[in-house]
């Protein structure tokens, strides 16, 4: 059972920071998950959104005040400062902030301390921690907004492939994720690294919406859709509600057949995202119980904000996982 550190150990440190990735490795994570967007000059950096006012101190830099804009990102109007409007040198002048200060107040002690890391930085960190800890730690980057960035002349698939080859990443060191099937199909002919099809619990992939493809995420997890995914990807990564839905009271309901159907299509299954705070938990159970309910379905991995708690829950000898 793989424990994937969602944006690093983001339950304990501001997400997508070196501190979050280092702590995740120390806590036993098998993979570090950097979300990737591109700067104006084509450097891949780790942010969950390309709009950075919520996770950096950009608003406090008067020199960048005129770069505050409103853009349409994947069909939604977003106002703020965008990674693609900054060179990497400019971005390095910013410092990171906790995304959810009201919920994770202790994380704010680390506000303003670190720069935004690049993909190369995370690979180097994972390799250092692999040597230090004596166990393999991989990276599982997610390509964010690939259709959007391609229209800007910043093709994330090619930029990532260039870095994977330049860094000499082996297939057992890296997996690549995307919500957009078109993006993964492009990646599938560039290198042989394992690919992960992310699936949300509602709506449709943005590339489908852009091209008028009428299929939704729900269509992708039908048996025919899973068979199609297996022609270019190795892993299905569904939202956890697609695996065990919540009832009207917020409790865990009965599992769906998705895990078994994905396995029959030849796909491994990695489920997202598990967070230990009470507001994210199903009614009536604690975090370890939630994790073990999902693990019992035979999934191959899960994404967690609190890797230490996931490791503790999933690697007890009695679980035989």
């Amino acid at each position: 059972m793989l424990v994937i550190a969602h944006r690093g150990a983001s339950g304990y440190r501001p997400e997508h920071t070196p501190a979050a990735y280092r702590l995740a490795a120390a806590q036993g994570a098998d993979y570090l998950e950097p979300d990737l967007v591109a700067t104006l000059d084509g450097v891949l950096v780790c942010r969950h959104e390309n709009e950075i006012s919520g996770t950096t101190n950009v608003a406090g830099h008067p020199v960048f005040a005129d770069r505050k804009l409103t853009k349409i990102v994947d069909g939604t109007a977003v106002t703020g400062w965008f990674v693609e409007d900054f060179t990497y040198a400019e971005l390095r002048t910013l410092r990171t902030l906790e995304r959810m200060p009201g919920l994770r107040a202790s994380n704010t002690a680390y506000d303003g301390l670190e720069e935004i890391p690049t993909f190369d930085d995370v690979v180097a960190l994972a390799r250092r921690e692999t040597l230090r800890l004596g166990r393999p730690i991989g990276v599982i980057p997610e390509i964010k907004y690939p259709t959007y960035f391609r229209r800007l002349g910043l093709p994330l698939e090619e930029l990532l492939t260039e870095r994977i080859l330049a860094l000499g990443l082996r297939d057992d060191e890296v997996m690549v994720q995307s919500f957009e099937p078109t993006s993964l199909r492009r990646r599938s002919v560039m290198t042989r690294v394992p690919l992960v099809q992310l699936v949300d619990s509602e709506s449709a992939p943005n590339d489908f919406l852009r091209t008028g493809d009428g299929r939704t995420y729900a269509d992708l997890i039908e048996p025919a859709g899973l068979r199609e995914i297996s022609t270019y990807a190795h892993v299905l990564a569904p939202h956890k509600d697609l695996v065990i839905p919540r009832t009207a009271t917020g409790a865990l309901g009965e599992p769906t057949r998705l895990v078994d159907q994905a396995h029959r299509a030849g796909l491994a299954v990695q489920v997202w995202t598990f967070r230990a705070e009470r507001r994210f938990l199903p009614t009536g159970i604690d975090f370890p119980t939630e994790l073990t309910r999902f693990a019992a379905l035979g999934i191959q991995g899960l994404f967690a904000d609190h890797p230490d708690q996931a490791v503790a829950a999933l690697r007890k000898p009695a679980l035989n996982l």
Side-chain angles (χ1 to χ4, degrees), residues 45-64:
V45 296
C46 304
R47 293 290 90 186
H48 184 259
E49 291 90 18
N50 57 329
E51 198 287 301
I52 55 175
S53 63
T55 59
T56 75
N57 61 357
V58 64
H61 287 246
V63 68
F64 299 133

Side-chain angles (χ1 to χ4, degrees), residues 67-78:
R67 298 198 200 176
K68 186 176 184 180
L69 302 169
T70 297
K71 299 187 178 187
I72 304 300
V73 182
D74 284 5
T76 301
V78 180

Side-chain angles (χ1 to χ4, degrees), residues 143 157 176-189 195-198 232-233:
I143 300 172
E157 297 86 359
V176 176
Q177 316 169 76
S178 179
F179 281 100
E180 298 190 15
T182 304
S183 180
L184 291 178
R185 287 184 182 278
R186 285 196 181 100
R187 282 284 307 122
S188 69
V189 299
L195 302 178
V196 181
Q197 176 66 64
L198 293 158
Y232 61 84

Side-chain angles (χ1 to χ4, degrees), residues 4-315:
I4 300 164
H6 183 242
R7 312 179 197 176
S10 55
Y12 303 106
R13 299 290 187 273
E15 68 186 42
H16 293 316
T17 59
Y21 295 130
R22 282 193 300 270
L23 181 59
Q27 290 182 338
D30 299 293
Y31 279 82
L32 310 178
E33 190 224 14
D35 294 314
L36 300 181
V37 291
T39 64
L40 180 64
D41 47 348
V43 178
L44 293 175
V45 296
C46 304
R47 293 290 90 186
H48 184 259
E49 291 90 18
N50 57 329
E51 198 287 301
I52 55 175
S53 63
T55 59
T56 75
N57 61 357
V58 64
H61 287 246
V63 68
F64 299 133
D66 63 347
R67 298 198 200 176
K68 186 176 184 180
L69 302 169
T70 297
K71 299 187 178 187
I72 304 300
V73 182
D74 284 5
T76 301
V78 180
T79 299
W81 288 264
F82 297 84
V83 166
E84 64 268 21
D85 296 329
F86 292 78
T87 66
Y88 175 58
E90 290 173 328
L91 211 62
R92 288 186 63 194
T93 67
L94 306 180
R95 294 298 179 268
T96 55
L97 303 176
E98 168 57 37
R99 172 193 295 279
M100 297 186 285
L103 178 67
R104 295 173 173 171
S106 60
N107 289 9
T108 63
Y110 304 92
D111 282 356
L113 299 182
E114 296 196 282
E115 298 176 4
I116 297 173
T118 66
F119 174 66
D120 288 32
D121 293 334
V122 180
V123 171
L125 186 154
R127 285 173 164 171
R128 286 195 303 270
E129 294 303 292
T130 291
L131 292 175
R132 185 177 73 85
L133 297 170
R135 60 179 183 81
I137 300 168
V139 291
I140 181 167
E142 180 189 340
I143 300 172
K144 302 296 293 188
Y145 315 113
T147 297
Y148 172 88
F149 274 98
R150 183 168 289 274
R151 289 167 65 91
L152 297 177
L154 293 166
L156 299 185
E157 297 86 359
E158 286 86 339
L159 292 172
L160 180 55
T161 297
E162 176 187 312
R163 299 318 306 154
I164 287 173
L165 295 175
L167 295 168
L169 280 162
R170 304 186 311 271
D171 293 358
D172 61 348
E173 290 183 286
V174 62
M175 291 185 269
V176 176
Q177 316 169 76
S178 179
F179 281 100
E180 298 190 15
T182 304
S183 180
L184 291 178
R185 287 184 182 278
R186 285 196 181 100
R187 282 284 307 122
S188 69
V189 299
M190 295 178 183
T191 63
R192 298 180 63 84
V193 303
L195 302 178
V196 181
Q197 176 66 64
L198 293 158
V199 178
D200 209 342
S201 58
E202 56 186 20
S203 189
N206 185 59
D207 53 333
F208 286 8
L209 295 173
R210 284 276 191 176
T211 60
D213 188 320
R215 289 176 296 167
T216 66
Y217 285 119
D219 294 314
L220 292 183
I221 59 173
E222 291 294 326
L226 294 170
R227 288 193 296 272
E228 181 178 344
I229 289 171
S230 72
T231 65
Y232 61 84
H234 306 76
V235 180
L236 181 77
H239 187 289
K240 62 184 181 179
D241 288 352
L242 296 173
V243 175
I244 306 181
R246 303 276 181 107
T247 67
T249 64
L252 286 182
E254 291 300 313
T256 68
R257 299 175 57 203
L258 179 56
V259 173
D260 288 342
Q261 290 173 334
H263 287 164
R264 283 199 291 274
L267 296 164
V269 178
Q270 298 168 355
V271 182
W272 56 278
T273 297
F274 294 87
R275 299 178 168 100
E277 290 94 353
R278 179 69 260 169
R279 74 161 64 175
F280 299 116
L281 294 175
T283 302
I285 61 174
D286 61 14
F287 191 51
T289 302
E290 180 189 25
L291 294 172
T292 55
R293 284 280 302 275
F294 279 83
L297 300 178
I299 65 175
Q300 281 64 57
L302 55 79
F303 294 76
D305 284 12
H306 304 78
D308 58 335
Q309 296 186 50
V311 168
L314 297 173
R315 295 187 182 158

